[in-house]
């Protein structure tokens, strides 16, 4: 698809998207807080060390981009877009097995090191399954859907309208009438596509970041659809958030397995990990990590699945193990975790711990953990509903 000239143009476009950050002379002389914009135009606060880290990260992004272009030249354009089809073919033809497996291994390694921003929309759209999902409906599906629901008012649309101005306020595009309108169409459209989900707070941040990466509303819509319908736990965003409650219980069990000293200390303190982890799993870290780190995490999420969310959550605790073991107050734990996540400007720092120090976790293992936790969660939610209904009846009779 891409000739030599086009690849050169893509490289230049990638480099133009990644400016070198230069703090003022006053900032260089003192370790003071400075404000700057990241690759996706979010305003970030940090010190000069943070600026230096981001510049190093951006240089790594450039180098990684060169690796992708070189592989396109040697393996052919778009070789990475259909790894699952290659593997299916490999099972049918022995002669293809080695090359298909090699491509899959290469792609997994590349994705973990980061997808170049200019290729991210195309790679995400393919490896996530969004392209396949879109291909099953008429080409005009999204346009017809948004036109059909325009002007309709539901509890979901009212909540969406309430949340729009609170979604990344201050962003130069998202926090504008044009940005709000685009985000609204994506969220409202999906709320009608899946009435069981409708709209849940947290999805606004996810959809907003998808809009920035995918560039078009329609592609962002299909990425949101594949996330909610295929990548994540099905009931994460339903009315009772049962799937999210299951994820919290699974995470607590995994913390005890992977970081037993931290888990024991926090339990003795009476700290509930859901105090910090609920937002992580509902917003997919989009409110907690710097945007460039979040998107590196999403690179892996769309290719390897939801297990990466557990890897990342465990890594944040693991990175601050010694500090956490010294805490005595719940508030101190929250402050450490909050500060750590918001200052993780180097994605490789997080992902190295997530995959090398946390250890292997298969999707099958996590699925078994979920099934183990589901009965307790459903019983708890049922009990909560009965209690709520009882209180309502009591109120009617008084």
């Amino acid at each position: 698809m891409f000739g030599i000239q086009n690849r050169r143009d893509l490289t230049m476009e990638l480099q133009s998207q990644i400016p070198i950050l230069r703090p003022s002379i006053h900032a260089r002389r003192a370790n003071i807080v400075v404000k700057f914009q990241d690759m996706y135009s979010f305003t970030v606060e940090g010190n000069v060390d943070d600026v230096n880290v981001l510049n190093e990260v951006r240089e790594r992004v450039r180098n990684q981009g060169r690796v992708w272009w070189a592989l396109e030249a040697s393996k052919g354009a778009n070789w990475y877009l259909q790894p699952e089809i290659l593997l299916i073919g490999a099972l049918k033809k022995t002669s293809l097995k080695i090359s298909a497996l090699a491509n899959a291994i290469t792609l997994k390694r590349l994705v973990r090191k980061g997808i170049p921003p200019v290729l991210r929309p195309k790679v995400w759209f393919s490896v996530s399954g969004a392209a396949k999902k879109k291909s099953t409906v008429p080409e005009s599906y999204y346009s017809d859907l948004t036109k059909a629901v325009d002007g309709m008012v539901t509890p979901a649309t009212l909540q969406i309208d309430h949340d729009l101005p609170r979604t990344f306020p201050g962003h130069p595009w998202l926090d504008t009438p044009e940005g709000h309108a685009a985000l609204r169409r994506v969220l409202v459209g999906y709320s009608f596509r899946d009435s069981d989900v409708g709209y849940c707070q947290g999805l606004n941040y996810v959809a907003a970041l998808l809009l920035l990466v995918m560039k078009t509303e329609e592609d962002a819509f299909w990425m949101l659809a594949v996330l909610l319908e295929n990548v994540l736990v099905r009931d994460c965003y339903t009315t009772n958030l049962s799937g999210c409650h299951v994820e919290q219980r699974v995470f607590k069990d995994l913390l005890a397995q992977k970081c037993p000293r931290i888990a024991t200390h926090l339990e003795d303190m009476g700290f509930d990990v859901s105090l910090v982890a609920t937002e992580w799993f509902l917003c997919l870290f989009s409110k907690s990590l710097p945007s460039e780190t979040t998107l590196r995490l999403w690179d892996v999420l769309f290719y390897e699945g939801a297990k990466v969310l557990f890897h990342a959550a465990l890594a944040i605790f693991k990175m601050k193990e010694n500090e956490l073991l010294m805490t005595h107050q719940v508030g101190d734990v929250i402050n450490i975790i909050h500060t750590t996540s918001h200052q993780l400007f180097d994605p490789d720092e997080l992902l190295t711990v997530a995959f090398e120090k946390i250890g292997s976790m298969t999707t099958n293992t996590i699925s078994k953990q979920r099934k183990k936790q589901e009965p307790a969660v459903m019983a708890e939610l049922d009990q909560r509903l009965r209690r709520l209904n009882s209180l309502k009846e009591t109120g009617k009779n008084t």
Side-chain angles (χ1 to χ4, degrees):
M1 181 176 180
F2 296 118
I4 294 174
Q5 181 62 44
N6 284 336
R7 281 200 296 275
R8 186 181 298 117
D9 292 343
L10 283 172
T11 303
M12 292 177 66
E13 181 181 347
L14 170 62
Q15 292 177 346
S16 70
Q17 289 182 3
I18 313 174
I20 296 296
L21 301 172
R22 294 183 175 85
S24 69
I25 187 66
H26 300 291
R28 292 192 190 101
R29 290 174 178 170
N31 190 26
I32 60 175
V33 173
V34 293
K35 289 186 177 182
F36 46 90
Q37 282 195 337
D38 67 15
M39 193 184 306
Y40 289 89
S41 300
F42 289 98
T43 299
V44 179
E45 287 189 358
N47 56 34
V48 178
D49 289 338
D50 296 325
V51 174
N52 291 335
V53 167
L54 271 178
N55 282 332
E56 291 172 7
V57 169
R58 292 173 184 205
E59 182 59 32
R60 273 181 253 149
V61 170
R62 290 189 185 89
N63 292 335
Q64 187 68 1
R66 297 185 187 105
V67 173
W68 283 76
W69 312 139
L71 282 168
E72 278 212 342
S74 64
K75 290 178 176 288
N78 301 331
W79 65 273
Y80 44 79
L81 291 187
Q82 296 179 319
E84 68 279 5
I85 294 178
L86 284 172
L87 285 173
I88 291 172
L91 294 175
K92 294 179 180 177
K93 296 183 180 180
T94 306
S95 60
L96 294 177
K97 185 177 294 186
I98 294 177
S99 62
L101 185 59
N103 279 342
I105 293 172
T106 299
L107 183 56
K108 181 176 180 179
R109 185 176 70 249
L110 282 173
V111 168
R112 286 192 177 189
K113 288 185 177 180
I115 301 171
V118 72
L119 289 179
R120 194 168 264 148
K122 183 171 62 173
V123 177
W124 277 11
F125 206 64
S126 178
V127 301
S128 67
K132 183 178 180 181
K133 186 176 287 290
K134 180 183 176 183
S135 70
T136 63
V137 298
E139 190 173 340
S140 61
Y141 177 92
Y142 179 70
S143 176
D144 293 342
L145 175 64
T146 55
K147 289 177 182 176
V149 304
D150 185 36
M152 291 187 179
V153 178
T154 67
T157 65
L158 293 174
Q159 187 61 55
I160 290 168
D161 289 336
H162 180 70
D163 288 347
L164 288 175
R166 303 192 298 178
T167 307
F168 298 124
H171 188 276
W173 182 75
L174 288 172
D175 195 14
T176 65
E178 180 186 0
H180 287 173
L183 180 57
R184 187 183 192 279
R185 284 189 290 270
V186 170
L187 292 171
V188 170
Y190 192 80
S191 75
F192 280 91
R193 172 181 169 86
D194 188 343
S195 58
D196 288 337
V197 171
Y199 170 73
C200 175
Q201 288 178 308
L203 290 179
N204 50 323
Y205 296 99
V206 174
L209 211 47
L210 287 173
L211 272 172
L212 291 182
V213 174
M214 302 306 295
K215 309 300 183 186
T216 71
E217 285 179 39
E218 186 171 7
D219 286 353
F221 171 85
W222 286 112
M223 289 301 299
L224 183 64
V226 82
L227 257 177
L228 301 183
E229 296 165 17
N230 300 97
V231 178
L232 303 176
V233 173
R234 178 63 181 159
D235 295 329
C236 249
Y237 296 96
T238 51
T239 304
N240 62 5
L241 299 177
S242 60
C244 185
H245 289 295
V246 169
E247 300 294 74
Q248 299 306 306
R249 284 174 171 262
V250 172
F251 175 58
K252 185 176 180 180
D253 280 355
L254 290 173
L255 187 67
Q257 294 172 24
K258 301 290 185 177
C259 307
R261 294 174 65 207
I262 298 176
T264 299
H265 179 72
L266 296 181
E267 187 173 354
D268 290 344
M269 191 190 299
F271 178 82
D272 186 346
V273 293
S274 65
L275 290 173
V276 293
T278 298
E279 182 180 276
W280 292 348
F281 284 88
L282 284 178
C283 300
L284 307 183
F285 291 93
S286 59
K287 283 186 67 181
S288 308
L289 296 173
S291 66
E292 293 169 46
T293 303
T294 300
L295 296 179
R296 279 286 304 279
L297 187 64
W298 286 14
D299 286 346
V300 189
L301 172 68
F302 287 124
Y303 186 55
E304 297 188 35
K307 68 175 185 177
V308 69
L309 301 177
F310 294 101
H311 277 278
L314 291 167
I316 292 172
F317 277 87
K318 183 68 174 177
M319 292 168 74
K320 292 298 176 179
E321 180 169 9
N322 292 335
E323 289 183 36
L324 290 171
L325 292 176
M326 296 293 291
T327 57
H328 300 286
Q329 302 292 332
V330 169
D332 294 334
V333 176
I334 294 175
N335 287 337
I336 290 172
I337 296 299
H338 181 272
T339 302
T340 300
S341 60
H342 281 74
Q343 294 179 350
L344 275 171
F345 295 107
D346 186 350
D348 290 318
E349 183 182 2
L350 174 66
L351 294 177
T352 297
V353 176
F355 292 112
E356 294 182 11
K357 294 188 178 181
I358 295 303
S360 176
M361 291 188 294
T362 66
T363 299
N364 187 46
T365 298
I366 292 175
S367 295
K368 289 180 179 178
Q369 290 268 26
R370 286 172 177 148
K371 288 181 180 179
K372 173 185 172 184
Q373 296 295 344
E374 282 173 1
V377 167
M378 298 311 296
E380 182 180 307
L381 291 175
D382 183 61
Q383 185 179 21
R384 188 181 302 174
L385 182 61
R386 289 173 182 272
R387 191 183 309 121
L388 182 62
N389 289 335
S390 177
L391 290 173
K392 287 181 179 179
E393 287 298 322
T394 303
K396 289 180 181 179
N397 295 329
T398 57

